[in-house]
Amino acid sequence: MREFHVIDRIRRSQGALPRWVLAGPGDDAAVLAPGGGGGGKARLLVTVDAMVEGVHFDAGALPPAAIGRRCAAAALSDIAAMGGEARWAVVSCGVPRRGRWTEGRLLELTRGIEEGLARWGAALVGGNLASSAAFFVSMTVGGSCAGAPMLRSGARPGDLVAVTGELGGAALGLELLRAGRRRHPLARRHAAPEARIEEGRRARPHASACIDVSDGFLQDLAHLLEESGVGAVVEAERLPLPSPLPRGRRFAPGRVLHAALAGGEDYELLLTVPPARRRAVEKAFGRGGVVPLAFVGEITGRRGVLKVVDKNGRDVRVPRRYGWDHFAHASPPLRGGGAKRRGG
Amino acid sequence: MREFHVIDRIRRSQGALPRWVLAGPGDDAAVLAPGGGGGGKARLLVTVDAMVEGVHFDAGALPPAAIGRRCAAAALSDIAAMGGEARWAVVSCGVPRRGRWTEGRLLELTRGIEEGLARWGAALVGGNLASSAAFFVSMTVGGSCAGAPMLRSGARPGDLVAVTGELGGAALGLELLRAGRRRHPLARRHAAPEARIEEGRRARPHASACIDVSDGFLQDLAHLLEESGVGAVVEAERLPLPSPLPRGRRFAPGRVLHAALAGGEDYELLLTVPPARRRAVEKAFGRGGVVPLAFVGEITGRRGVLKVVDKNGRDVRVPRRYGWDHFAHASPPLRGGGAKRRGG
């Protein structure tokens, strides 16, 4: 079974959605028209994300509050990718009858979720607790968007490809954590990712399309290209690599590039910007208080063709199976846990 | 670990919620003020529910579409308990890498969810698919409510206790399914429960409080009493028992009463009605197109005291551990799968 294949089949099998569903399955969050999802002038954004112990996080590697903050960041990131503001969340937990998940740890987890949400003014308004052989946390976040949200489908040939912050930090951070190097600044990129809510808000009026980088830069870019019906060329040297880079053979340049292209869970935003809006978006990011924005490539008309080149325009070998599909990989290299997500 | 104990601790540990959260954790659904959760004149209702294979449904006992319809009914039932209308849903699935859950079965499950939602004009607008050792479906439903929703906390001494439809049918239906008696009408009560959306809509203007019967009549009544700070006396003979009752020792009167008091997943509505509104609510239910409403008891001022009596007012012995708490019972008698839920 291939995750994205199943999702495509589900989308194709769906009947027509009501007119007030402005964007349904296939984007980072569903977009419901004012009035449709409960009224108002603002569009309602809704997204759901899940983390499963042993799949999305190592059992015992992180304290419960950190797991909670990561869950919140992953779900909030989908709202960020639309350019929206998060408002509320409900959480559904599956907990084994016996084992490490005691009442105290569940309270810590909840506290972490609430902290992660509170940073962006969102509140945990409800939840569900069920018995389950596998520990899971599934989180639904609702948000609002005053104007037209950024969709995955708006990229046009000639648009610039841009990305916030740094790529590959979460995957390298996980390697560091596994090597016991908890103090390295990159370890934090895995343990405590940040949703780019403010970056999304500033980009929204200018960007033609957006997706968050949760499964790996190339894979998420491929999703955006598919929804927009376009291709892209990315210049490897322009990719914003994490810093400071750790020393050691495990972190040789080739591995770092691989992490930047295919590492999951960076929760950066991948934007496309019409050339005429480049100055405006740079100005919006230049006001401080946000991570930098790097321009890394260009959208082409060659539908479905995604090339990575060096500064001389020569093809760079990329991981054949870039990114992270739950059901296709047993153990993808350098993945940062691989939050699985489907828009909406 | 006791489920409701954990939930209580989480609620107590929460800081103050924003003012636009009109009802947070502790009710069937969260209630967000107009404008707060995305705007509008109508309140936004949000609820989440999960079903785990081997816990909430028997692996292989029901076809995937029926499991999907049951998930939808369980989540919609929380909206019904508020007197609201369902609008949209997002679903989060955890699927083992190997095993019975093939692509085809996942599509069937999704179709069942969509059918269950479509009955009430709601649309599936997004979802998430993750790898998980245990198969689970977690569903968030959003709805709206034109007026003040029914809460669990509004019951006052002297109010009448009423319940829609029949009690215990789902638990007896599960027994029948397990005995291979699939054709008995009650088997359908387990396989294809219905959310009482229309009943909730009609009751809303008259009822002082409401909860849906998902964990068992006595347990859910106890939740309502706790939130309202009151007690209740229920007359056993007035409980609406399922019909036609199956023959056999397994379905002796004592077992049937037990199923009515403690069986889970009936998804009926348990209402409290001020005496002055009895005629009005009877009139609303008398117009046809809904299941009957039975008056079964009265709210008392004896906080936390829940008595079941016969027609002479003598105490009836009730199951000591009535209802269904995931983490307290290994195998509760006659449970209908036991949908675990916490309001909001």
Side-chain angles (χ1 to χ4, degrees), chain B residues 80 83 150 162-165 196-207 210 268-273 277-295:
Chain B
M150 298 183 281
V163 66
T164 62
R196 301 303 187 200
I197 295 274
E198 179 58 26
E199 286 78 2
R201 261 166 44 96
R202 295 201 197 169
R204 192 187 57 76
H206 313 293
C210 185
E268 298 293 354
L269 298 184
L270 199 173
L271 311 163
T272 63
V273 181
R277 307 308 293 263
R278 177 177 181 146
R279 288 287 294 279
V281 77
E282 282 179 330
K283 202 173 153 196
F285 274 72
R287 276 184 277 125
V290 293
V291 296
L293 185 71
F295 289 87

Side-chain angles (χ1 to χ4, degrees), chain B residues 77-341:
Chain B
S77 181
D78 285 326
I79 299 292
M82 312 299 285
E85 315 216 18
R87 296 305 195 100
W88 51 262
V90 292
V91 65
S92 169
C93 264
V95 185
R97 273 172 218 271
R98 284 178 191 79
R100 74 171 73 238
W101 287 98
T102 58
E103 283 190 19
R105 281 176 61 90
L106 283 176
L107 284 170
E108 286 292 293
L109 176 91
T110 308
R111 188 172 59 78
I113 291 172
E114 290 182 310
E115 281 172 10
L117 293 169
R119 257 210 76 167
W120 301 108
L124 184 66
V125 301
N128 185 78
L129 194 58
S131 168
S132 164
F135 181 85
F136 70 83
V137 186
S138 183
M139 203 157 128
T140 302
V141 176
S144 62
C145 198
M150 298 183 281
L151 302 181
R152 294 181 179 179
S153 53
R156 295 293 169 261
D159 285 357
L160 306 169
V161 177
V163 66
T164 62
E166 299 169 348
L167 292 173
L172 296 175
L174 180 61
E175 288 277 295
L176 287 163
L177 281 173
R178 283 178 175 162
R181 294 163 70 179
R182 295 181 173 270
R183 300 255 174 117
H184 194 283
L186 283 190
R188 211 180 143 67
R189 286 302 309 267
H190 173 77
E194 299 268 2
R196 301 303 187 200
I197 295 274
E198 179 58 26
E199 286 78 2
R201 261 166 44 96
R202 295 201 197 169
R204 192 187 57 76
H206 313 293
S208 52
C210 185
I211 189 171
D212 73 320
V213 182
S214 55
D215 295 338
F217 173 79
L218 287 182
Q219 182 163 306
D220 290 315
L221 177 54
H223 291 315
L224 184 148
L225 299 180
E226 199 183 323
E227 294 298 325
S228 296
V230 294
V233 179
V234 171
E235 207 176 299
E237 276 90 347
R238 291 202 198 166
L239 293 170
L241 301 182
S243 71
L245 278 173
R247 286 158 192 248
R249 220 163 43 126
R250 218 185 244 139
F251 306 101
R255 298 294 300 268
V256 171
L257 179 62
H258 186 199
L261 291 169
E265 299 194 305
D266 281 321
Y267 301 118
E268 298 293 354
L269 298 184
L270 199 173
L271 311 163
T272 63
V273 181
R277 307 308 293 263
R278 177 177 181 146
R279 288 287 294 279
V281 77
E282 282 179 330
K283 202 173 153 196
F285 274 72
R287 276 184 277 125
V290 293
V291 296
L293 185 71
F295 289 87
V296 300
E298 197 177 312
I299 296 295
T300 68
R302 298 179 62 198
R303 186 175 186 140
V305 178
L306 168 49
K307 290 179 69 159
V308 182
V309 299
D310 65 17
K311 60 188 164 197
N312 301 314
R314 281 188 296 249
D315 280 0
V316 170
R317 266 191 69 207
V318 298
R320 194 168 55 88
R321 273 183 169 172
Y322 43 76
W324 166 233
D325 183 321
H326 262 174
F327 299 99
H329 298 241
S331 174
L334 274 178
R335 76 175 174 86
K340 288 307 21 329
R341 123 144 20 83

Side-chain angles (χ1 to χ4, degrees), chain A residues 5 9 14 20 36-37 39-40 44 87 92 97 103 107 114 124 127-128 131 138 140 326 329 340-342, chain B residues 5 9 14 20 36 39-40 44 87 92 97 103 107 114 124 127-128 131 138 140 326 329 340-342:
Chain A
H5 184 237
R9 281 186 63 187
Q14 267 199 312
W20 48 266
L44 176 66
R87 298 303 195 103
S92 170
R97 273 172 218 271
E103 282 190 20
L107 283 170
E114 291 181 310
L124 185 65
N128 185 78
S131 168
S138 182
T140 302
H326 263 172
H329 299 241
K340 287 308 21 328
R341 123 142 20 85
R342 160 212 194 187
Chain B
H5 184 237
R9 281 186 63 187
Q14 268 199 314
W20 49 265
L44 176 66
R87 296 305 195 100
S92 169
R97 273 172 218 271
E103 283 190 19
L107 284 170
E114 290 182 310
L124 184 66
N128 185 78
S131 168
S138 183
T140 302
H326 262 174
H329 298 241
K340 288 307 21 329
R341 123 144 20 83
R342 159 212 191 187

